[in-house]
Amino acid sequence: RQSQACDGCRIKKRKCDGVRPVCSQCRKSRVKDRQEVKCTYVSVTKKRGPPRGQRAELLDRIAGLETML
């Protein structure tokens, strides 16, 4: 299983096999459309989950609200 799809497969929501420099999906579309298709991979991926420090801020806020009760 490929951990990251190329940009073209991600945009078109195709299954990317991750072969470099050109994945099989990009190679197929290049042959079919007779165009020069670039198969690029973004090196920076988005981190999942809440931003750092948000959990601590929420716990502090909860503690403050509990003291008001």
Side-chain angles (χ1 to χ4, degrees):
R1 183 173 179 193
Q2 179 63 23
S3 63
Q4 183 180 11
C6 70
D7 297 333
C9 291
R10 182 178 294 118
I11 290 169
K12 296 197 179 213
K13 296 186 178 181
R14 296 181 296 199
K15 186 170 176 104
C16 184
D17 59 3
V19 176
R20 302 224 180 176
V22 180
C23 74
S24 62
Q25 294 290 339
C26 290
R27 184 172 289 129
K28 285 179 190 176
S29 66
R30 179 184 296 177
V31 170
K32 184 172 63 174
D33 298 337
R34 300 182 198 280
Q35 294 177 352
E36 192 64 30
V37 178
K38 293 183 180 179
C39 187
T40 57
Y41 292 82
V42 175
S43 60
V44 179
T45 58
K46 296 179 187 175
K47 292 187 178 184
R48 298 182 69 177
R52 289 185 181 251
Q54 184 179 14
R55 183 175 186 265
E57 290 174 15
L58 290 173
L59 290 174
D60 291 341
R61 186 172 176 191
I62 289 171
L65 292 171
E66 285 177 345
T67 57
M68 288 181 179
L69 295 175

